[in-house]
Amino acid sequence: MTPLIDARGLSKRFAVHRGLKSAHLHAVDAIDLTIGVGESVGLVGESGCGKSTLARLIARLIDTTSGELAFAGSDIGAVPARRFATSPQRAGIQVVFQDPNDSLNPGFTVFQAVADPIRQLGQATGRAEVTDRVMQALDDVGLPREFSARYPHQLSGGQKARVGIARAIAVKPRLLVLDEPTSALDVSVQSVILRLLADLRVRHGMSYLFVSHDLNVVRLITDRIAVMYLGKIVEIGPSADVFAHPRHPYTRALIAAIPDPARRGARPPRLEGSASSPIDPDPSVCRFAGRCPAETFICRQSMPLLKAAGRDHEVACHHAEAAEDMP
């Protein structure tokens, strides 16, 4: 079956200046990633690893530097982001942003915020149809219809998050890119929004790309997890398998850092050393070199590529077996 999203060698580099010399920051570096129809894929990693940039590339909010990107078998990577914004395919990929306070126009009512993409993408021919679509979206996210006349400042954080989701699903997308959609919310509200997202995915048959630094959140809502480090995917596999049997030392460190009452009193392992620079990195050196507890000579001589480490599980590490034995 053709995947809904098929990225091959996807890269994004940003020009920077070092004195009189020009250089490039490799935010996303030759990434291969697929998302199946109805599948939820989590994208995790610490701040600065490139996960949000990759999400924006897939959502066609920014242009690629190189690589290929297909949506439902159609090449969208070659379409400039500015032109894609008004293309018929725009409705198929929608984004739920991290902070609804920033992403909602304070001068728009809830009705106007949800109706705007419906009108912009030409998905309704008259006011009555627009109204029906808006009200259906509010019903889907559990917001009372009378809230349609309210402004963002009259809503709670959880209600604003629901408006952001309603706006995204109102145009009936096939893929939702969720960029840290619960990080700005209280913990109690987070669980409610996560349950809502899980329910919407089943009811509407959508696929998700769920970006987060919180592995516990990703674990609850995804089928597969991709772990990023300095622009590279270093491990990818079924969510349950990645948590139960992490193969990459970086993945193990991320999971070990999750608060767990069973480990009360125990100190999680720390990654020593400093991260490599993402500015024109050496293509022959593992990006995790310098922080990896399993590092050997080969790690600075050959960039590890993703290779099979179990059923549908891949890892980019020369010492994946050794990582499994780490404390």
Side-chain angles (χ1 to χ4, degrees):
M1 180 184 292
T2 300
L4 185 64
I5 287 289
D6 190 1
R8 298 294 169 187
L10 207 59
S11 297
K12 182 64 179 180
R13 296 186 289 275
F14 296 97
V16 295
H17 294 284
R18 283 184 162 181
L20 298 177
K21 294 183 178 180
S22 61
H24 290 89
L25 187 151
H26 292 231
V28 173
D29 200 353
I31 278 181
D32 295 343
L33 181 68
T34 61
I35 303 174
V37 175
E39 183 183 30
S40 179
V41 175
L43 191 60
V44 302
E46 58 194 354
S47 296
C49 71
K51 58 186 185 295
S52 289
T53 301
L54 177 57
R56 282 162 170 72
L57 289 172
I58 290 174
R60 298 305 294 116
L61 298 179
I62 58 175
D63 290 322
T64 62
T65 299
S66 61
E68 300 176 352
L69 179 63
F71 174 62
S74 175
D75 180 12
I76 62 172
V79 181
R82 182 172 294 183
R83 186 149 57 89
F84 189 82
T86 57
S87 78
Q89 290 172 311
R90 172 76 277 168
I93 305 175
Q94 290 293 299
V95 184
V96 177
F97 295 97
Q98 179 175 356
D99 190 346
N101 292 306
D102 293 335
S103 61
L104 293 177
N105 187 329
F108 275 16
T109 64
V110 169
F111 182 94
Q112 290 170 320
V114 179
D116 187 57
I118 298 173
R119 292 194 177 105
Q120 293 289 340
L121 296 172
Q123 290 209 331
T125 56
R127 180 171 179 80
E129 189 178 352
V130 170
T131 300
D132 287 345
R133 294 279 292 272
V134 170
M135 295 306 170
Q136 181 59 57
L138 295 183
D139 291 345
D140 282 344
V141 301
L143 272 179
R145 292 189 172 195
E146 55 267 27
F147 277 39
S148 63
R150 295 190 181 185
Y151 288 89
H153 72 272
Q154 297 172 304
L155 304 174
S156 68
Q159 290 165 349
K160 283 184 275 194
R162 290 174 188 266
V163 174
I165 296 169
R167 179 178 60 183
I169 67 172
V171 294
K172 302 182 186 273
R174 299 185 65 186
L175 173 70
L176 267 192
V177 177
L178 300 142
D179 190 2
E180 303 265 13
T182 61
S183 63
L185 305 174
D186 292 338
V187 174
S188 59
V189 181
Q190 284 185 17
S191 62
V192 174
I193 296 301
L194 288 174
R195 286 196 296 270
L196 171 63
L197 288 169
D199 178 60
L200 288 172
R201 178 187 160 207
V202 173
R203 279 195 280 141
H204 295 283
M206 292 182 290
S207 299
Y208 285 172
L209 176 62
F210 196 103
V211 181
S212 181
H213 66 278
D214 190 332
L215 274 76
N216 262 339
V217 168
V218 171
R219 183 182 195 174
L220 294 172
I221 201 169
T222 61
D223 303 309
R224 284 191 299 143
I225 291 176
V227 181
M228 281 192 73
Y229 185 82
L230 283 184
K232 291 280 192 182
I233 289 180
V234 297
E235 184 164 1
I236 185 168
S239 300
D241 195 29
V242 169
F243 269 85
H245 305 289
R247 307 311 206 270
H248 198 282
Y250 178 61
T251 310
R252 290 183 64 85
L254 290 177
I255 293 174
I258 297 173
D260 185 349
R263 297 197 301 261
R264 183 173 298 171
R267 296 183 65 183
R270 295 182 61 184
L271 295 175
E272 303 294 341
S274 57
S276 303
S277 172
I279 299 176
D280 290 334
D282 189 332
S284 299
V285 177
C286 175
R287 296 288 167 84
F288 199 48
R291 298 181 75 190
C292 182
E295 180 183 338
T296 63
F297 176 77
I298 192 175
C299 302
R300 293 188 176 273
Q301 301 297 314
S302 174
M303 171 72 74
L305 303 177
L306 284 169
K307 60 182 180 181
R311 185 175 181 182
D312 299 322
H313 195 153
E314 294 180 301
V315 62
C317 180
H318 294 301
H319 307 294
E321 295 79 9
E324 290 191 84
D325 298 327
M326 287 168 50

